[in-house]
């Protein structure tokens, strides 16, 4: 059986040299090379969506690949596509890089300039390993063969705008629709998810920060399974320990979660740190929550500009959610969109704290009454974002239409009384 080899090389000369050598290897089947990290991950995801058997046995990553650094790319491929063996091609063959490459998940190292014998030996060994892994996985092993879960970050324009409550409700809506969901508290110094869901758990995201090989077993030990079915990865009880979660650790943790869950909701809070910035950068959808008042909208504008300056997220790639909305406020969603330069969610969250107060005070926001207009709006937003399955989204839309009809009927009744 031929060995399929996918080179990931950005330099044109290196591509020609490497493909020439690969074509000379016995039983080798080189496939069209990819030029950058994004193209590599997208190609593997597309093949994995068809079947794990469609994936190449070997991926060769050149050290000058971009935009994601080579070691980070190796780690992401190893986490998301565990049946693929990765070889790193590099000029540095020192023990430090070798150790770092192995920690990232590489199965072999080839030094530049690439020699035929060295390349043939590494490819043969890695291909045998890959075949063995697939044979094992084919007999009941657990492997993620999809394109990866959806990561949604929820950030606050300032403290107290309702970002944590929204993150919790989005996760609950996704889980209730039948999609395995993880909720991550990346507000590392002041995270409140545990308080909102009445949870006491000694493990936190910090326990994963120093681990270079996040196996499913290690991940499961750090995650708390809530009664609702949502998997919780909580912030540390001691806020100062949040500094242990570096941007590199955050990327690895979120990559591991994305490979195990269909939906990953991340509460990033209102303060931007390295881990939160990494989460926003990686996210498929980045939400920024604001309330319709001058201070909060100015905070949203500052945050959007900061994300753009730091090259974390462009304004047009950010979605602002207006919380505590009412028709009487001077600042309406259209004005928020004009001020921030972002997209604004079509679903707005109404101002009705009385519905929430008892559930929030009891630390049981998961028990919020399904008739609550705030809960209905947040779950409708989950449908707008595509976090719930189609039939669930349809059900919420029907509920929304019924709710609006009920409002019109109530208004008519009031007019008749008057």
């Amino acid at each position: 059986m031929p060995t399929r080899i996918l080179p990931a090389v950005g330099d044109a000369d290196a591509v020609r040299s490497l493909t020439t050598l690969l074509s000379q290897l016995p039983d080798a089947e080189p496939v069209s090379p990819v030029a950058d990290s994004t193209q590599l991950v997208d190609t593997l995801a597309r093949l994995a969506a068809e079947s794990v058997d469609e994936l190449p046995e070997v991926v060769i990553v050149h050290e000058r690949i971009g935009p994601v650094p080579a070691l980070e790319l190796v780690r992401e491929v190893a986490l998301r596509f565990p049946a693929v063996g990765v070889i790193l091609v590099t000029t540095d063959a020192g023990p430090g890089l070798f150790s770092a490459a192995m920690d990232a998940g590489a199965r072999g190292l080839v030094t530049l300039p690439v020699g035929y014998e060295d390349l043939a030996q590494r490819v043969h060994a890695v291909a045998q390993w890959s075949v063995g892994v697939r044979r094992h996985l084919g007999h009941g092993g657990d492997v993620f063969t999809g394109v990866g879960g959806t990561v949604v970050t929820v950030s606050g324009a300032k403290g107290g705008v309702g970002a944590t409550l929204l993150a919790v409700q989005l996760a609950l809506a996704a889980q209730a629709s039948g999609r395995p969901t993880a909720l991550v508290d990346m507000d590392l110094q002041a995270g409140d998810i545990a308080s909102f869901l009445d949870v006491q758990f000694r493990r936190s995201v910090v326990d994963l920060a120093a681990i270079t090989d996040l196996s499913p077993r290690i991940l499961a030990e750090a995650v708390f399974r809530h009664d609702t079915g949502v998997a919780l990865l909580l912030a540390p009880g001691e806020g100062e320990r949040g500094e242990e979660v570096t941007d590199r650790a955050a990327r690895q943790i979120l990559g591991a979660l994305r490979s195990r869950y269909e939906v990953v909701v991340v509460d990033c809070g209102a303060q931007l740190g390295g881990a939160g910035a990494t989460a926003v950068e990686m996210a498929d959808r980045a939400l920024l929550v604001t309330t319709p008042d001058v201070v909060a909208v100015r905070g949203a504008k500052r945050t959007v500009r900061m994300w753009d300056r730091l090259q974390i997220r462009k304004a047009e790639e950010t979605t602002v959610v207006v919380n505590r909305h009412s028709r009487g406020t001077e600042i309406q969603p259209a004005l928020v969109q004009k001020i921030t330069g972002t997209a604004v969610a079509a679903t707005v969250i109404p101002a009705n704290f009385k519905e929430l107060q008892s559930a929030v005070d009891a630390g049981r926001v998961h028990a919020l009454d399904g008739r609550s207009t705030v809960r209905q709006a947040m779950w409708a937003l989950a449908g707008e974002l595509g976090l719930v399955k189609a039939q669930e989204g349809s059900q919420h839309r029907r509920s929304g239409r019924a709710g609006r009809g009920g409002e019109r009927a109530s208004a008519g009744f009031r007019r008749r009384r008057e």
Side-chain angles (χ1 to χ4, degrees), residues 28-366:
E29 185 182 312
V31 297
S32 299
V34 295
D36 57 46
S37 58
T38 302
Q39 191 178 355
L40 172 61
V41 174
D42 289 346
T43 299
L44 294 176
R46 188 183 68 253
L47 294 172
E50 299 176 14
S51 169
V52 68
D53 293 329
E54 296 298 320
L55 288 167
E57 284 77 20
V58 180
V59 168
I60 297 180
V61 175
H62 194 278
E63 67 176 357
R64 289 195 295 272
I65 196 73
V68 175
L71 286 178
E72 295 296 331
L73 180 60
V74 169
R75 178 175 287 104
E76 183 170 0
V77 171
L79 283 170
R80 293 182 61 179
F81 312 100
V84 174
V86 185
I87 296 175
L88 178 63
V89 178
T90 176
T91 53
D92 181 9
L97 180 65
F98 181 84
S99 177
M102 295 303 105
D103 288 343
R107 303 302 307 178
L109 203 67
V110 173
T111 56
L112 289 168
V114 179
Y116 175 83
E117 293 296 334
D118 189 20
L119 181 63
Q121 182 181 3
R122 285 292 92 210
V123 167
H124 177 69
V126 173
Q128 282 190 325
W129 173 86
S130 178
V131 170
V133 168
R134 295 178 194 208
R135 187 180 301 116
H136 171 72
L137 294 175
H139 291 83
D142 181 19
V143 61
F144 183 79
T145 58
V147 297
T150 300
V151 176
V152 178
T153 56
V154 184
S155 305
K158 68 180 188 67
V161 296
T164 298
L165 179 63
L166 178 60
V168 171
Q169 292 298 329
L170 292 178
L172 292 174
Q175 182 70 38
S177 75
R179 303 188 71 183
T181 302
L183 176 59
V184 186
D185 199 340
M186 204 63 81
D187 188 1
L188 298 173
Q189 292 186 342
D192 285 327
I193 286 179
S195 299
F196 272 43
L197 293 173
D198 192 23
V199 168
Q200 292 183 351
F201 189 58
R202 62 186 182 88
R203 300 279 187 186
S204 75
V205 65
V206 172
D207 294 302
L208 301 177
I211 300 175
T212 55
D213 183 14
L214 284 181
S215 67
R217 181 183 61 81
I218 293 174
L219 191 63
E221 289 178 353
V223 167
F224 177 83
R225 181 72 61 177
H226 193 258
D227 294 341
T228 58
V230 176
L232 304 178
L233 187 56
L234 303 172
E238 304 82 13
E240 65 274 14
R241 295 199 62 195
E243 297 180 358
E244 299 176 29
V245 185
T246 63
D247 52 352
R248 178 178 177 181
R251 187 178 298 277
Q252 180 179 354
I253 292 166
L254 293 179
L257 289 169
R258 173 181 258 160
S259 70
R260 310 300 300 180
Y261 298 93
E262 286 190 38
V263 176
V264 180
V265 180
V266 186
D267 178 12
C268 295
Q271 299 296 322
L272 184 69
T278 299
V280 173
E281 181 186 8
M282 290 180 63
D284 299 290
R285 298 294 296 267
L287 306 183
L288 182 61
V289 183
T290 185
T291 48
D293 58 82
V294 173
V295 175
V297 174
R298 284 178 177 172
K301 183 178 180 180
R302 279 198 308 270
T303 299
V304 169
R305 288 183 172 181
M306 179 173 62
W307 287 358
D308 189 48
R309 288 195 305 272
L310 297 177
Q311 298 182 350
I312 296 170
R313 196 96 183 175
K314 294 180 180 179
E316 57 268 25
E317 297 173 349
T318 303
T319 301
V320 169
V321 178
V322 179
N323 189 23
R324 300 172 196 157
H325 172 266
S326 68
R327 293 180 180 179
T329 56
E330 293 185 10
I331 299 178
Q332 293 294 318
L335 181 57
V336 175
Q337 183 173 14
K338 182 178 179 180
I339 292 173
T340 60
T342 66
V344 173
T347 305
V348 294
I349 316 301
N352 199 338
F353 184 71
K354 288 183 179 179
E355 294 180 353
L356 306 174
Q357 188 165 7
S358 60
V360 171
D361 290 346
R364 294 181 58 81
V365 297
H366 54 287

